[in-house]
Amino acid sequence: MRTLLIISHPSIADSHTQRFLWESLPEEGVSWHHLEKEYPSNQIDIQKEQTLLLEHDRILFQFPLYWYSSPPLLKQWQDEVLTEGFAYGKTGNLLTGKEFGLIVTTGVHERAYQAGREEKFTIPELMRPFEAVANKCGMIYLPVLLLARFDYLSESEKKALLIRYRQYLTNQNDDSLVAREQWFKQELRTYGKKDFSEEDQQLIELLIEQMEENREQLDDLLFTLQELEEL
Amino acid sequence: MRTLLIISHPSIADSHTQRFLWESLPEEGVSWHHLEKEYPSNQIDIQKEQTLLLEHDRILFQFPLYWYSSPPLLKQWQDEVLTEGFAYGKTGNLLTGKEFGLIVTTGVHERAYQAGREEKFTIPELMRPFEAVANKCGMIYLPVLLLARFDYLSESEKKALLIRYRQYLTNQNDDSLVAREQWFKQELRTYGKKDFSEEDQQLIELLIEQMEENREQLDDLLFTLQELEEL
């Protein structure tokens, strides 16, 4: 699976969060595509953007929440790139079946986004226009990944969130336990060996073995359950 | 009451609907402010825009619905003009108490905007980000005025919609029968005399008299009702 990560941020150099996210990208499978860097004078290359979309299976928008939506260049990108005959309409629906998700950063507490609190609406409610884009183009809409007050998190909270971020970028759209196990094993095998002492690497191998043993026991239990149901 | 009508439309010269709306503006009380004309190179004069906002009581955004939101320049306008300390925050909330509304044009049937139909979401749902702006700035959010498939309407349907448009621009935010009567009488007296034959003008005077008689009878009935309640 190939992921196109379309970032819109007018002042990305000043954003710790965006740098953190950039540094935690997996080594392959994800194309980082920063619109304001690519098009400093707002002249979007429509043909190039459409080709990029076709080359990827998962399309993600990553942006800071400005006035409950994206920065303007990402809106311009939608208006110019998602044309009739390419993204929707009778003559072409070339994005149908692709996955589409949002990674939204905000300096406001997540709990503020609900009825009765300061921001009044939830993030999924505020993102309806993007959900409607997915609907129009026949894309599979993923749950929004909200990164709230990232700068204020502790180191371990940041690490936990970065795992969710990496899963969002590359994990199959399958929240089952089996899928998450597979993803963790893959990640541990690929990245766990770097920058770790021999002792830690042994620990990682033990962890993977334990996970596989648990899985075998779970499979046995599931098998027994099925047998019982058939009686 | 003074109304600031902020229009965002990248190709307004090609839009019959926008020309129709422009031609039906009342002679006073409404400032037509077309962002793409004012700022062809996207360099928004923030000071000027903030002054304009302070000089008006009702702020309206008028735009074609592109991908379930406004064109990008109106988003840029929000991000740059509605600054902390001016539009929200502890040090300044200068828009508090002003009215804020949206006039949205679309080529899609209004009935398509609902769960179970093509566009899946209602217009008020899709406009939540703007409602959240009103909430943040302490502005009074008006019901959205949707002008759907304006070009396809009959002449009489267009006229009926233009009356609603003019009410939206200048009527007090009061949907009572009395308020609407007052507005109609005012409109008829101000505009009814132009371009009409003497016969039509007499008809208009008769109409106003009839409306006033009806009002007197209604007031009498209300008075009698109150008397009865007090018994």
Side-chain angles (χ1 to χ4, degrees):
Chain A
M1 192 191 66
R2 295 202 57 194
T3 297
L4 178 60
L5 184 59
I6 299 175
I7 297 102
S8 183
H9 198 307
S11 54
I12 202 165
D14 305 328
S15 166
H16 290 119
T17 310
Q18 295 293 331
R19 201 178 59 212
F20 221 99
L21 297 178
W22 189 81
E23 283 171 356
S24 69
L25 282 189
E27 281 174 19
E28 51 185 39
V30 179
S31 311
W32 175 279
H33 186 51
H34 178 214
L35 294 182
E36 282 80 2
K37 186 186 170 195
E38 193 80 17
Y39 304 114
S41 56
N42 295 358
Q43 300 295 312
I44 295 174
D45 183 340
I46 297 168
Q47 186 64 55
K48 180 184 166 184
E49 295 298 317
Q50 292 185 341
T51 304
L52 268 176
L53 287 170
L54 295 179
E55 287 169 353
H56 292 80
D57 315 295
R58 179 176 295 177
I59 318 296
L60 302 178
F61 288 173
Q62 177 175 309
F63 57 85
L65 194 67
Y66 289 169
W67 285 116
Y68 312 106
S69 188
S70 75
L73 188 56
L74 185 53
K75 185 56 182 30
Q76 185 187 333
W77 182 95
Q78 292 175 69
D79 293 353
E80 296 185 4
V81 176
L82 302 180
T83 53
E84 189 170 357
F86 172 77
Y88 68 98
K90 284 174 191 159
T91 57
N93 232 338
L94 303 180
L95 304 179
T96 300
K98 291 184 189 291
E99 294 172 341
F100 177 61
L102 308 174
I103 297 153
V104 178
T105 62
T106 171
V108 174
H109 274 294
E110 184 165 2
R111 63 170 179 269
Y113 293 98
Q114 57 177 301
R117 291 214 193 264
E118 299 93 302
E119 305 295 351
K120 197 170 173 179
F121 303 110
T122 65
I123 291 292
E125 281 177 302
L126 293 168
M127 296 300 109
R128 287 283 186 262
F130 294 100
E131 190 177 351
V133 169
N135 174 61
K136 185 83 162 189
C137 300
M139 293 191 286
I140 299 154
Y141 189 64
L142 305 175
V144 179
L145 179 62
L146 182 71
L147 306 179
R149 293 176 68 78
F150 192 81
D151 276 353
Y152 298 87
L153 299 181
S154 70
E155 280 311 305
S156 65
E157 285 171 326
K158 278 184 188 171
K159 277 197 181 132
L161 207 49
L162 285 180
I163 287 174
R164 285 187 57 205
Y165 177 65
R166 287 176 65 116
Q167 285 184 319
Y168 200 80
L169 295 182
T170 59
N171 198 10
Q172 295 298 324
N173 180 25
D174 176 356
D175 209 28
S176 71
L177 186 59
V178 182
R180 277 182 290 153
E181 276 173 21
Q182 291 292 347
W183 185 86
F184 265 112
K185 271 179 5 194
Q186 178 71 22
E187 286 278 300
L188 286 170
R189 287 236 159 84
T190 315
Y191 300 99
K193 313 244 161 162
K194 290 187 310 188
D195 313 322
F196 281 114
S197 68
E198 202 176 325
E199 204 178 336
D200 281 348
Q201 286 189 27
Q202 281 171 0
L203 202 67
I204 286 166
E205 278 306 321
L206 272 173
L207 197 64
I208 294 178
E209 274 173 34
Q210 183 63 53
M211 209 146 59
E212 283 171 347
E213 259 179 48
N214 287 352
R215 167 54 44 202
E216 277 169 27
Q217 284 183 17
L218 270 170
D219 286 345
D220 284 350
L221 277 169
L222 281 172
F223 183 77
T224 314
L225 265 174
Q226 276 169 358
E227 297 248 299
L228 282 170
E229 277 173 4
E230 280 165 17
L231 283 181
Chain B
M1 193 191 66
R2 297 202 55 193
T3 297
L4 178 61
L5 184 59
I6 299 175
I7 297 102
S8 182
H9 198 307
S11 54
I12 202 164
D14 305 328
S15 167
H16 290 119
T17 310
Q18 295 293 331
R19 201 178 59 213
F20 221 99
L21 297 178
W22 189 81
E23 284 170 355
S24 70
L25 281 190
E27 281 173 18
E28 51 185 38
V30 179
S31 311
W32 175 278
H33 185 51
H34 179 215
L35 294 182
E36 282 80 2
K37 186 185 169 195
E38 193 80 17
Y39 304 114
S41 56
N42 295 359
Q43 299 296 311
I44 295 174
D45 182 340
I46 297 168
Q47 187 63 55
K48 180 184 166 184
E49 295 297 316
Q50 292 185 340
T51 304
L52 268 176
L53 287 170
L54 295 179
E55 287 169 352
H56 292 80
D57 314 296
R58 179 176 295 178
I59 317 296
L60 302 177
F61 288 174
Q62 177 175 308
F63 57 84
L65 193 67
Y66 289 169
W67 285 116
Y68 311 106
S69 187
S70 76
L73 188 56
L74 185 54
K75 185 56 182 26
Q76 185 187 333
W77 182 96
Q78 292 175 69
D79 292 354
E80 296 185 4
V81 175
L82 302 180
T83 53
E84 188 170 357
F86 172 77
Y88 68 99
K90 284 175 191 158
T91 57
N93 232 337
L94 302 180
L95 305 179
T96 299
K98 291 184 189 292
E99 294 172 341
F100 177 62
L102 308 173
I103 297 153
V104 178
T105 62
T106 171
V108 174
H109 274 294
E110 184 165 2
R111 63 170 179 270
Y113 293 97
Q114 57 177 300
R117 291 214 193 265
E118 299 93 302
E119 305 294 350
K120 197 170 173 178
F121 303 109
T122 65
I123 292 292
E125 281 177 303
L126 293 168
M127 296 300 109
R128 287 282 185 264
F130 295 100
E131 189 177 351
V133 169
N135 174 61
K136 186 82 162 188
C137 300
M139 293 191 286
I140 299 154
Y141 189 64
L142 304 175
V144 178
L145 178 62
L146 182 72
L147 306 179
R149 293 175 67 78
F150 192 81
D151 276 353
Y152 299 87
L153 299 181
S154 70
E155 281 310 305
S156 65
E157 285 171 327
K158 277 184 187 171
K159 277 195 182 134
L161 207 50
L162 286 180
I163 287 174
R164 284 187 58 206
Y165 177 65
R166 287 176 64 115
Q167 285 184 319
Y168 200 80
L169 295 182
T170 59
N171 199 10
Q172 295 298 324
N173 181 25
D174 176 357
D175 209 29
S176 71
L177 187 59
V178 182
R180 277 182 290 153
E181 275 173 23
Q182 291 293 348
W183 185 86
F184 265 112
K185 272 180 2 196
Q186 177 72 22
E187 286 279 300
L188 286 169
R189 287 234 160 85
T190 314
Y191 301 99
K193 313 244 161 164
K194 290 188 310 188
D195 313 322
F196 281 115
S197 67
E198 203 176 325
E199 205 179 336
D200 281 348
Q201 286 190 27
Q202 280 170 1
L203 202 68
I204 287 168
E205 278 306 321
L206 272 174
L207 197 65
I208 294 179
E209 274 173 34
Q210 183 63 53
M211 208 147 57
E212 282 171 348
E213 260 179 48
N214 287 352
R215 167 54 44 202
E216 276 169 27
Q217 283 183 17
L218 270 170
D219 286 345
D220 284 350
L221 278 169
L222 282 172
F223 183 76
T224 313
L225 265 174
Q226 276 169 356
E227 297 248 300
L228 282 169
E229 277 174 4
E230 280 166 17
L231 284 180

